Amino acid sequence: MMNKLRNIVDNRRDTVNDRREYTSDLGLTQQEVEQSRNRHGSNELIRHHSNSFFKKLLESFGDPIIKILLVALAINILLMIRNINWFEIVGIGVAILLATFVSTLSEYGSESAFEKLQEDAARINCRVRRADGVYEIPVTDVVVGDLVLLQPGERLPADGVIISGSLSVDQSALNGESKEAQKHPLDGMIDQHSAPGDFLARDKLFRGSVIASGEGVMRIESVGEKTFYGKLAIEIQEETIESPLKLKLRNLATTICNIGYIAAGIVIIANLFYDIVWANHFNSVLISQYFSDKALFFKDLFRTVTLAITVLVMAVPEGLPMMITVVLSSNMNRMLKDNVLVRKLVGIETSGSLNILFTDKTGTLTKGKLSVTGFIDGSGNEYKPDELRKQKDLYDIFLTGCYYNSGSQIGKQSGRSSVIGGNATDRALMEFIKTDARNIPHSNIVRSIPFDSNNKFSSAQIDGGKHRFLIKGAPEKLLPHCKFAYDKKGNKTPIFNTYRLTSYMNKMAKQSIRLLAICTSNSLITRDNELSNLTLIGLVCIKDDIRSEARQAVRDVTNAGIQVVMITGDNKETAVAIAKEAGLIDDHERDGEVYTSAELNAMSDDEVRKCLKNLRVVARALPSDKSRLVNIAQKMGLVVGMTGDGINDAPALKKADVGFAMGSGTEVAKEAGDIVILDNNFTSIGNAILYGRTIFKSIRKFIILQLTINLSAVAISIIGPFIGIEEPVTIIQMLWINIVMDTLAGLAFAGEPPLAEYMREKPKRRDETIINRYMY
């Protein structure tokens, strides 16, 4: 196959003259490689806003509560140095350092884990043709002008044009379209009018796409950040809106400051009342003498101000930021066991505050790959997969038709038997027959005609067995030409009535099931006009099945008061069928639950806002629809979640309050997300929501404990002087209580287990205060 690819390059005579710098079919010399790299840059994607550990540590000090603690620390250092009471200074300092350090370490660690994912992707190699031979090099070493040799299953390393061969390309990671695009060189001049990101251009290839079938050679035209893939990577590094938790903490900090200021003021008044009035027995003469002793007055005043500052510090729960960080960090490790990788700590709590979740279909609600779900023979008999295997004579013919007429093959991957190459349909068929492949009589493929989107079939000729000419393709294309069919015994029988088969086709289409006709013929069929006298083996049902646990997971999330909206590129009928299977809508679809992209685009933002409450499915969706829906929902005050795996999902993942990137998705999608769902499972998203709600519960429990103690101590300090007790709680006692209760006791909440009952509560509003009526 390698020699075949070399011949494609060497034998190409009609080189396209497109006025580009590097057009030699022999490939670049080493000197030209260096010149190209210097001029156009490398093929690496650079993280523009990657911060060092120290910079992340400094950014942690911007937390609202931490800012209050820093002010309190500064006041303590300035005013308490005379009394050498270092307990509070040390306590606050330790709380600040622990909170910021643990938070930074956790996020830095998750960023490092993410970097590992990117490094693994960068290890992918590609084959390039250069002046002195064919090399296999990392994709990061590709330069503009390189000739890349392409085969099925390979991922495109950069943007460019196809100059030889013919390819079927899966561009779903870029544009969300599951339909494969056909790519081939254009005759004469390259189309100069196609846009840089025109995925429909017949000769253009884009980084991140995967070769489904065919062979060819591409010339690299853009690398790194100049590719469509790279430009999206830059876009997702823009800053996003403030998280709900930070907003709540800022409001809490303001409340605590106001309470602290009021308490400190009252303490000053109370203590001055005691020193001036109570201590002098309400005697005006003694009071006058007191004021005449300036040294005594200023000594008491300084002590009173010091106590007031202590009370102010006491009102501030310095253990809160550390407790939040420890809770988030410890739960982050727990969540990893549930296949949830947290990249940003605040993303955990935010997931618990979701009001609406926009979710992809493929791989999240469904298994993410096609599989055989049924079969119908020429007589209209329906079989489940296991039942088909029991029809030995018919199944043997089916095996031959699927095994030899396929773009896929059975090979080894990581030491295990695996299906390699081909398009999604071929892989599904080969996966189905994989365990029985050893029972297929050996034959050699004499000639094969790969699937063509115009003819809608593929065919093959083998040199052994009774069935030497094989064909498979779209039922609507092949069925009209089927004169015979195989019965259960493998004998040919005439087809008298195709009505039952047609009815079956219509029924399966409504259930989002793809059908494929498997046939034999009397000769090798290479063109559409040669179709005749076919013998039908049967119709195969192929479907991306709903995950077995998806329906219950969707029910759990919706019972938690979260609106789930499925966004898919499927047509409306297919989308509705899948939504019903997943439990997103019931059997009786209501107006306003399902819209297509075209219908949404015909509506203004205000109109979309009105119908958003009832929205459940968006069909034929475009990447721009996701970002628009996120923006509208956020303007309505909703906390928005978004799932995605492709590069086209990255902007919406970035804009959402919490972005759930799929573990099998692109590096760019993971870069944009806050949380990576390693197993692509909707159930794991439900687990992340439960963890988020548990954490918020823990934060509120800690605040009840913390503020109850703090306010009690403050109240005693205020009341005592009015009833003749000079210092009901001394400064040292108050600081000791503060240190023990604020730091050590708060850590107990880090181990709070997630309880299923939390998923039956309504979600919190974005603007809801952290201290609610129950807490008061």
Side-chain angles (χ1 to χ4, degrees), residues 366-375 385 389 398 424-433 512-516 540-547:
T366 65
K367 293 179 179 177
K369 66 176 184 178
L370 298 176
S371 59
V372 174
T373 60
F375 182 85
R389 290 189 173 98
F398 173 79
T425 303
D426 281 346
R427 288 195 298 272
L429 287 173
M430 194 64 73
E431 192 70 43
F432 177 69
I433 67 171
S512 71
I513 294 175
R514 185 184 303 179
L515 290 175
L516 192 69
V540 187
C541 304
I542 299 176
K543 184 184 179 184
D544 183 7
D545 266 344
I546 291 287
R547 289 179 181 268

Side-chain angles (χ1 to χ4, degrees), residues 329-341:
S329 301
S330 63
N331 278 278
M332 184 180 78
N333 294 325
R334 292 181 193 172
M335 293 171 72
L336 193 57
K337 297 177 182 178
D338 287 335
N339 297 306
V340 179
L341 171 64

Side-chain angles (χ1 to χ4, degrees), residues 110 138 383 404 534 561 587 719:
S110 62
Y383 305 93
Y404 289 109
L534 303 182
D587 292 332
I719 296 171

